[in-house]
Amino acid sequence: MTPCEQLHAELGEYLEETLPGEVQAALDAHASGCAPCRVLVTTLHETMRLYRDLVPWPLPAAVHARLEDLLRRVRREAEEDMTS
Amino acid sequence: MQPESVDTLMERAVAGDLRAFAEAFQRCAPGVFHAARHLLGDDQDAEEILQDVMLATLDALPDLSPQQNLRTWLFRLAAQGARQKLQARRGPTGESPELAAVLEENELARDLTPWDPAVSYDAEELRSVLHRALEQVPAVPRVIFWLREVERFDLEETADMLALSEYDAATHLLRARLLLRELLAPYFRVEAET
């Protein structure tokens, strides 16, 4: 198996960083010297980073409003329990 | 003053403080909603799941341990509810046959043009690009990607929530990552000089 094929075969574990240290390091070294593999790996990492860094996605406004209503009722019941 | 963590709020909630529960739930709600939405492909169904999860958690509060991780609990319940809805539908899960075919044909990268680090979008534009790409990923890989990448659950927890083996979850995750990379490439790659 060529290093490129090995990287493709182990890509999932490589991205999760669950390979044995020496295998991970060998694939890192290969990716840094092989242009297509480097593009594949860097753009995959970039894809993951873009989603990870995204500010939290809000609730749609209508869903938020209905949830707020429900939670207001929960809070009101809590206050009634405390005063009774 | 630092806001209380969800864990601290949960401890108070289990001790009977429903205001603390409301605050903790409010913070987790968007993630729970979007996880259900990614699996079901439908806002209304996802909202039903969100409300069911809230009511079920309120019922279960007296029996929960103060150390119960609320986020894990909520996402687990949401995933369970969404899976039941999917089974009841017995229909398509939002899978796009065209994209699925493309991946099967060539699971690995097709577009190997480097991305341009100078390309940038404002926050709203970026969110829209990422959202549109994610919407094109088949439902199961999409929700696994969401739970793992955005909500930062580990692969074992993610697989468990969806009643999948870790191997299957890892396969779906890689598929989602590869597909998203392909879908985002046109927005980020270095354009060929003309």
Side-chain angles (χ1 to χ4, degrees):
Chain A
M1 195 186 283
T2 67
C4 297
E5 287 167 344
Q6 194 190 355
L7 179 73
H8 286 194
E10 310 207 69
L11 192 55
E13 287 171 283
Y14 175 77
L15 294 172
E16 284 288 295
E17 300 184 358
T18 51
L19 289 165
E22 67 276 14
V23 180
Q24 189 85 22
L27 293 178
D28 275 341
H30 167 69
S32 64
C34 166
C37 289
R38 185 170 60 245
V39 171
L40 176 63
V41 166
T42 54
T43 51
L44 277 165
H45 281 143
E46 186 61 8
T47 299
M48 291 152 63
R49 188 196 63 75
L50 284 166
Y51 283 94
R52 280 184 183 170
D53 289 356
L54 199 63
V55 285
W57 290 21
L59 286 174
V63 176
H64 177 78
R66 285 189 286 271
L67 180 68
E68 280 300 305
D69 268 353
L70 264 178
L71 291 173
R72 238 192 314 274
R73 262 184 272 165
V74 170
R75 287 191 191 97
R76 202 166 43 230
E77 279 169 29
E79 275 156 23
E80 282 166 8
D81 283 351
M82 282 170 75
T83 53
S84 63
Chain B
M1 199 171 72
Q2 285 273 335
E4 278 183 283
S5 71
V6 169
D7 287 345
T8 311
L9 290 167
M10 183 60 186
E11 281 178 32
R12 284 175 37 206
V14 171
D17 182 344
L18 292 183
R19 281 180 302 184
F21 170 77
E23 192 174 337
F25 191 82
Q26 200 170 27
R27 284 203 221 158
C28 297
V32 171
F33 173 85
H34 286 293
R37 167 80 178 69
H38 287 314
L39 194 54
L40 294 164
D42 181 88
D43 275 8
Q44 198 180 337
D45 281 348
E47 183 176 1
E48 262 179 48
I49 296 284
L50 182 67
Q51 294 185 358
D52 289 350
V53 166
M54 191 192 91
L55 296 173
T57 308
L58 266 177
D59 278 349
L61 264 187
D63 302 319
L64 292 181
S65 147
Q67 280 73 45
Q68 171 70 47
N69 183 311
L70 182 67
R71 282 186 74 247
T72 306
W73 166 273
L74 297 176
F75 278 88
R76 195 181 297 275
L77 275 187
Q80 195 180 18
R83 282 191 285 115
Q84 281 167 357
K85 264 194 193 296
L86 274 184
Q87 279 164 3
R89 272 190 209 162
R90 293 204 181 102
T93 57
E95 182 120 358
S96 154
E98 282 167 38
L99 284 167
V102 165
L103 265 185
E104 278 158 23
E105 194 180 293
N106 182 4
E107 193 80 27
L108 283 169
R110 288 170 295 131
D111 189 330
L112 286 173
T113 314
W115 286 8
D116 184 349
V119 169
S120 71
Y121 295 94
D122 69 39
E124 270 315 300
E125 243 178 326
L126 180 62
R127 186 195 297 277
S128 164
V129 166
L130 297 181
H131 181 73
R132 281 203 305 275
L134 200 55
E135 289 284 296
Q136 292 182 69
V137 175
V140 175
R142 178 171 64 211
V143 74
I144 288 175
F145 180 85
W146 179 266
L147 291 171
R148 177 78 187 93
E149 220 68 81
V150 180
E151 296 297 336
R152 318 272 181 101
F153 288 107
D154 66 30
L155 193 58
E156 191 184 349
E157 285 175 312
T158 302
D160 196 40
M161 283 177 198
L162 293 163
L164 291 171
S165 69
E166 219 173 303
Y167 175 84
D168 284 348
T171 305
H172 285 301
L173 177 62
L174 177 59
R175 192 175 178 211
R177 285 171 170 165
L178 286 166
L179 184 46
L180 285 167
R181 195 198 76 89
E182 295 289 337
L183 291 164
L184 294 179
Y187 297 95
F188 292 98
R189 68 185 166 211
V190 174
E191 292 303 330
E193 284 180 30
T194 51

